[in-house]
Amino acid sequence: MNRILFSHSYFLRFDPKQWETGQPYAPLGTLYAAAWMREHKYEVDLFDPMFITDPSLVADSIDKHKPDFFVLYDDGFNYLTKMCLTNMREAAFTMCCIAKEKGCVVMVSSSDSTDHYEQYLAAGADFVLLGEAEQTLLELTTAINTQHAAYSQIQGIAYKDGEAIVKTARRNVMKDLDSLPMPAWDLVNINPYRSMWLKSSGYFSLNVGTTRGCPFKCNWCAKPIYGNRYNSRSPENVVNELHFLKQHFEFDHIWFCDDIFGLKPGWVQEFARLVQEKQLRFRFKIQSRADLLLQENYIHALALAGCENAWMGAESGSQKILDAMDKGITVEQIKEATRLLKKNGIHPSFFIQFGYLGETRKDIQLTINMINQLLPHSIGISVSYPLPGTVFFDKVKQDLKEKSNWTDSDELKLMFRNTFQPEFYKQLHRYVHKSYRKHLALDTIRFLLKHPAKLKADTVKKAASLFYYLPASLLEKVKLQKLENACLA
């Protein structure tokens, strides 16, 4: 038994917002697992459901490849899979059932199955792999092949023993990430990814992971796969993969999908040196924290390597809320990081979160003011989303009886009791975006008045957008005020 069919449960079509955005990334975690098992002499294939709408099509792939093992291995690097959307969970259940009916040994590894392994076992999975799973997968398949059935001795799994569910001890995460083979990029049909990117954005982006885990303690952030440990690939190892990808796929842009990019001292500087030495030319975006973006030599190295966009978890313009989140940053650090990034030609972008426990209208206004004053390049707005294993989840779990997961990433439903009703936060999302765009237009007009020689078509277009966003933001504000009054009545 050495044939494995890998798949994952992220169906882009089931997430309307992301389908419209048109920026799909290959399932990196799945490709790592496939490469790992291939290195250990297993025959591997991939059923990639990214662009399809019917999970039952997995049956055709199973009939074609005749696998012994069906492994549903989600991409633990992508925040969309960490959200545990119910659309994707139901698709996963369908694929598990079909694979089980066709005689496969069914294994699942994902953030959602780690949190809800009982449901996946009930849906047809023989084993759920808990946490980081490459080593677990190899040990488990070896045990099955050698008929060594002491599953209770294998760390990091959940399975049924009769009617009882057994959950074994958690496995420690890998420390030497350079020992992993390069992801099995050859298994992916990259053409539909490239086509959608070019159509939506005019360039082609790929995803690369340089680290696993995050050592920080934000109390709403779940880390079911890689935990609170932080381990890094060497700059040499990463640059070698980039060189390979450039030769084979001719990408224009990279998303470094780490929770925190370049935390290890000196890593970014060495990375920048190697990128220049290899004469690699590409742009990239990262995720980081405001308190890590305060050293100008670090930011200069990012710019030198090709960084064009740094997303930081700003979350709130209220220090009270940042402290309640155990975020470990200050509003002043957000402001200074934004200034330094702009000074070095890197776009600062903000993740914003509304609806955290104890947030008042004053706190919300502080956040809106921060956005409109600092004018980041982009903003991603969400509402507080409770995930198992977090302090935040434990505080609100009594309110999650009706609903505990979103259907898709654009649902933005507040699922617990708070200052305002869920409808208020949906309207707040609309208003903040319109208000932000209005202020961007005003800023562009001010720029053109000071620098008329820099008049270009795109700046004129952005300035002219004021005629839309000024009345649109006023209208959305009126709607928001009505909902606020209704909530407080």
Side-chain angles (χ1 to χ4, degrees), residues 347-358:
H347 298 312
S349 293
F350 291 174
F351 290 117
I352 296 294
Q353 180 181 159
F354 288 116
Y356 194 83
L357 288 171

Side-chain angles (χ1 to χ4, degrees), residues 10-200:
Y10 192 75
F11 288 66
L12 190 64
R13 283 278 196 179
F14 293 171
D15 200 342
K17 176 184 176 182
Q18 301 305 323
W19 179 263
E20 184 178 353
T21 300
Q23 297 182 342
Y25 285 106
L28 190 61
T30 319
L31 302 184
Y32 263 116
W36 172 259
M37 295 304 288
R38 182 162 61 189
E39 187 174 75
H40 289 87
K41 312 306 180 187
Y42 283 82
E43 295 182 39
V44 299
D45 294 290
L46 175 68
F47 173 69
D48 184 6
M50 184 66 70
F51 302 99
I52 67 172
T53 58
D54 185 0
S56 68
L57 290 176
V58 73
D60 296 335
S61 189
I62 292 172
D63 290 340
K64 175 182 177 182
H65 297 293
K66 296 180 171 53
D68 305 298
F69 301 98
F70 176 72
V71 180
L72 194 68
Y73 203 108
D74 276 355
D75 181 12
F77 297 98
N78 195 327
Y79 71 94
L80 293 169
T81 62
K82 296 175 188 177
M83 294 171 70
C84 307
L85 304 170
T86 56
N87 272 347
M88 313 309 172
R89 181 187 295 165
E90 290 164 6
F93 289 170
T94 298
M95 290 190 287
C96 287
C97 288
I98 290 171
K100 185 68 175 174
E101 290 171 359
K102 288 186 173 290
C104 300
V105 177
V106 179
M107 303 178 183
V108 183
S109 170
S110 67
S111 297
D112 193 43
S113 63
T114 294
D115 290 335
H116 302 287
Y117 54 87
E118 302 98 331
Q119 295 184 41
Y120 281 80
L121 294 172
D126 294 295
F127 299 93
V128 173
L129 314 181
L130 309 170
E132 187 182 61
E134 287 99 341
Q135 292 174 314
T136 306
L137 176 58
L138 178 59
E139 188 174 340
L140 181 55
T141 53
T142 301
I144 292 171
N145 281 331
T146 58
Q147 298 183 339
H148 173 66
Y151 301 133
S152 62
Q153 302 303 307
I154 299 175
Q155 294 179 331
I157 63 172
Y159 62 97
K160 280 188 175 182
D161 184 2
E163 293 302 311
I165 293 178
V166 179
K167 180 184 178 185
T168 67
R170 188 178 180 95
R171 182 180 296 272
N172 290 331
V173 297
M174 292 184 185
K175 294 182 179 180
D176 181 13
L177 299 186
D178 283 2
S179 67
L180 286 165
M182 189 181 300
W185 287 101
D186 58 291
L187 296 181
V188 181
N189 177 8
I190 210 70
N191 292 328
Y193 289 89
R194 183 195 304 275
S195 296
M196 183 168 274
W197 268 98
L198 292 175
K199 183 178 180 180
S200 69

Side-chain angles (χ1 to χ4, degrees), residues 391-407:
V391 172
F392 177 51
F393 179 88
D394 290 339
K395 289 180 178 179
V396 302
K397 61 184 177 182
Q398 294 303 316
D399 292 339
L400 304 179
K401 296 173 183 177
E402 179 183 339
K403 187 178 181 67
S404 59
N405 293 95
W406 291 342
T407 302

Side-chain angles (χ1 to χ4, degrees), residues 212-467:
R212 293 186 175 188
C214 173
F216 297 96
K217 310 284 186 181
C218 307
N219 63 35
W220 45 265
C221 181
K223 303 183 179 80
I225 304 300
Y226 303 119
N228 274 109
R229 298 294 298 271
Y230 182 88
N231 294 296
S232 177
R233 297 166 62 190
S234 66
E236 294 83 1
N237 187 274
V238 174
V239 169
N240 286 340
E241 182 181 1
L242 291 169
H243 187 259
F244 169 87
L245 294 173
K246 195 69 172 175
Q247 286 184 318
H248 288 80
F249 299 125
E250 275 298 322
F251 65 84
D252 306 298
H253 179 274
I254 291 290
W255 170 39
F256 287 114
C257 52
D258 315 296
D259 289 335
I260 304 290
F261 181 80
L263 178 60
K264 190 175 179 181
W267 195 99
V268 171
Q269 287 83 351
E270 179 62 9
F271 173 71
R273 186 188 72 79
L274 290 169
V275 165
Q276 289 192 310
E277 183 180 283
K278 289 276 189 179
Q279 296 184 332
L280 289 170
R281 298 288 182 267
F282 65 99
R283 298 169 290 119
F284 65 88
K285 66 178 177 180
I286 64 167
Q287 296 171 163
S288 189
R289 288 168 51 93
D291 55 345
L292 301 178
L293 294 169
L294 299 177
Q295 296 181 6
E296 194 151 8
N297 62 338
Y298 169 83
I299 296 176
H300 178 69
L302 283 174
L304 201 63
C307 182
E308 69 168 5
N309 196 354
W311 282 86
M312 69 179 92
E315 313 304 348
S316 177
S318 165
Q319 192 61 51
K320 181 190 82 175
I321 297 302
L322 292 175
D323 292 343
M325 292 176 169
D326 296 324
K327 184 68 186 176
I329 63 171
T330 67
V331 175
E332 288 305 311
Q333 287 174 329
I334 297 171
K335 293 178 180 178
E336 179 62 9
T338 300
R339 185 189 71 80
L340 286 174
L341 287 167
K342 288 184 176 182
K343 178 183 175 182
N344 285 272
I346 298 175
H347 298 312
S349 293
F350 291 174
F351 290 117
I352 296 294
Q353 180 181 159
F354 288 116
Y356 194 83
L357 288 171
E359 183 185 61
T360 64
R361 190 64 176 86
K362 179 181 178 181
D363 299 314
I364 291 170
Q365 191 59 52
L366 286 170
T367 303
I368 296 172
N369 292 345
M370 179 183 74
I371 293 169
N372 292 338
Q373 289 167 10
L374 299 183
L375 291 178
H377 176 69
S378 297
I379 54 174
I381 298 176
S382 187
V383 298
S384 298
Y385 189 67
L387 288 170
T390 64
V391 172
F392 177 51
F393 179 88
D394 290 339
K395 289 180 178 179
V396 302
K397 61 184 177 182
Q398 294 303 316
D399 292 339
L400 304 179
K401 296 173 183 177
E402 179 183 339
K403 187 178 181 67
S404 59
N405 293 95
W406 291 342
T407 302
D408 59 69
S409 65
D410 197 35
E411 185 173 349
L412 295 177
K413 180 179 175 62
L414 196 76
M415 297 179 291
F416 55 92
R417 295 177 186 173
N418 207 347
T419 308
F420 301 105
Q421 296 298 314
E423 293 77 10
F424 171 85
Y425 294 97
K426 287 281 286 186
Q427 180 59 32
L428 177 62
H429 179 274
R430 288 187 283 268
Y431 166 64
V432 173
H433 270 288
K434 295 290 196 304
S435 173
Y436 161 67
R437 294 293 175 186
K438 178 190 74 175
H439 281 83
L440 282 178
L442 286 168
D443 188 65
T444 303
I445 291 171
R446 285 191 290 267
F447 174 82
L448 289 176
L449 289 174
K450 288 182 179 179
H451 309 282
K454 294 187 178 181
L455 190 71
K456 294 181 181 178
D458 60 335
T459 52
V460 171
K461 183 178 179 182
K462 187 179 289 187
S465 70
L466 180 67
F467 293 104

